[in-house]
């Protein structure tokens, strides 16, 4: 699921030394630190238990072993956020479709870094022959919807009240982007 929330008080200088690269298991603790607040404080993800660095390292390795991208954006060696794509469904007919996710640290939000990171991810997917990306968004989340639509995603479906977290039912929307 994609994530865009209010930015924190300390902002990142988005103009210099930004780099996109493949995530490594050495990034796992930082990735978990970025992700865990979304678990404990939001419905952006439906996970309910925080993840460890070992959990995150296993996730990175699993996706990369499947030939799928897990990318990070960093500045001066500090990881600011990450995006990855997993298989949409396991059946062979869906082999050209991926589901994307993006998470940015609080100080890195609202500065265009998510756009740059997602565009990088989409390039990686195109290079691997994928044709469609699905964005899955817990609703309501107007900022995430607007972000995805600015990048060309179009609403493809709605599943009312399929998630349950924080003692409430949550709708899930699906947005689709054609890569080719």
């Amino acid at each position: 699921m994609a994530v865009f929330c209010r930015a924190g008080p300390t902002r990142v200088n988005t103009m210099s030394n930004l780099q996109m690269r493949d995530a490594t298991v050495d990034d796992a603790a930082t990735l978990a630190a970025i992700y865990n607040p979304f678990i404990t404080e939001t419905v952006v993800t439906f996970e309910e238990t925080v993840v460890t660095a070992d959990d995150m390292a296993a996730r990175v390795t699993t996706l990369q072993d499947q030939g799928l991208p897990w990318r990070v954006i960093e500045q001066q060696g500090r990881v600011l956020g990450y995006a990855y794509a997993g298989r949409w469904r396991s059946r062979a007919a869906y082999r050209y479709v991926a589901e994307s996710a993006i998470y940015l640290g609080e100080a890195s939000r609202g500065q265009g870094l998510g756009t740059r990171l997602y565009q990088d991810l989409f390039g990686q997917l195109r290079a691997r022959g994928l044709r469609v990306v699905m964005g899955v968004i817990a609703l309501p989340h107007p900022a995430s919807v607007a972000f995805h639509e600015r990048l060309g995603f179009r609403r493809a479906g709605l599943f009312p009240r399929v998630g349950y977290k924080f003692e409430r039912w949550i709708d899930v929307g699906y947005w689709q982007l054609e890569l080719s």
Side-chain angles (χ1 to χ4, degrees), residues 34-98:
I34 290 169
Y35 184 56
N36 281 331
F38 293 103
I39 296 172
T40 59
E41 301 169 16
T42 77
V43 296
V44 167
T45 176
F46 286 171
E47 288 198 68
E48 297 180 315
T49 304
V50 297
V51 298
T52 66
D54 288 342
D55 296 331
M56 198 59 83
R59 292 175 185 194
V60 169
T61 300
T62 297
L63 279 183
Q64 290 175 341
D65 285 351
Q66 294 173 11
L68 294 165
W70 190 307
R71 304 288 286 172
V72 299
I73 187 169
E74 67 179 7
Q75 184 177 52
Q76 298 174 342
R78 192 177 111 218
V79 173
L80 307 174
Y82 64 92
Y84 64 88
R87 290 284 172 211
W88 171 243
R89 297 282 183 259
S90 62
R91 301 278 193 261
Y94 295 113
R95 67 186 169 277
Y96 299 106
V97 182

Side-chain angles (χ1 to χ4, degrees):
M1 293 190 183
V3 177
F4 295 90
C5 302
R6 64 177 167 65
T10 305
R11 304 292 280 192
V12 173
N13 177 356
T14 60
M15 300 314 237
S16 64
N17 300 321
L18 284 177
Q19 175 181 324
M20 254 70 78
R21 64 169 173 80
D22 290 331
T24 70
V25 294
D26 293 336
D27 297 317
T30 302
L31 302 178
I34 290 169
Y35 184 56
N36 281 331
F38 293 103
I39 296 172
T40 59
E41 301 169 16
T42 77
V43 296
V44 167
T45 176
F46 286 171
E47 288 198 68
E48 297 180 315
T49 304
V50 297
V51 298
T52 66
D54 288 342
D55 296 331
M56 198 59 83
R59 292 175 185 194
V60 169
T61 300
T62 297
L63 279 183
Q64 290 175 341
D65 285 351
Q66 294 173 11
L68 294 165
W70 190 307
R71 304 288 286 172
V72 299
I73 187 169
E74 67 179 7
Q75 184 177 52
Q76 298 174 342
R78 192 177 111 218
V79 173
L80 307 174
Y82 64 92
Y84 64 88
R87 290 284 172 211
W88 171 243
R89 297 282 183 259
S90 62
R91 301 278 193 261
Y94 295 113
R95 67 186 169 277
Y96 299 106
V97 182
E99 178 181 333
S100 62
I102 186 168
Y103 295 92
L104 296 172
E106 187 171 359
S108 301
R109 298 179 204 142
Q111 301 174 64
L113 299 179
T115 297
R116 292 174 74 171
L117 184 55
Y118 245 6
Q119 288 171 339
D120 174 79
L121 180 72
F122 300 157
Q124 296 288 319
L125 292 171
R126 281 185 196 96
R128 289 166 170 81
L130 278 87
R131 297 184 42 89
V132 175
V133 179
M134 301 300 294
V136 181
I137 305 171
L139 300 172
H141 200 318
S144 186
V145 169
F147 169 75
H148 281 82
E149 290 181 351
R150 272 193 311 275
L151 290 172
F153 283 81
R154 296 293 167 246
R155 187 172 176 168
L158 173 69
F159 295 90
R161 298 172 306 282
V162 295
Y164 189 79
K165 187 174 178 182
F166 300 139
E167 306 299 317
R168 67 183 173 117
W169 288 102
I170 303 153
D171 296 348
V172 174
Y174 288 82
W175 272 257
Q176 180 176 335
L177 174 67
E178 300 272 337
L179 291 173
S180 52

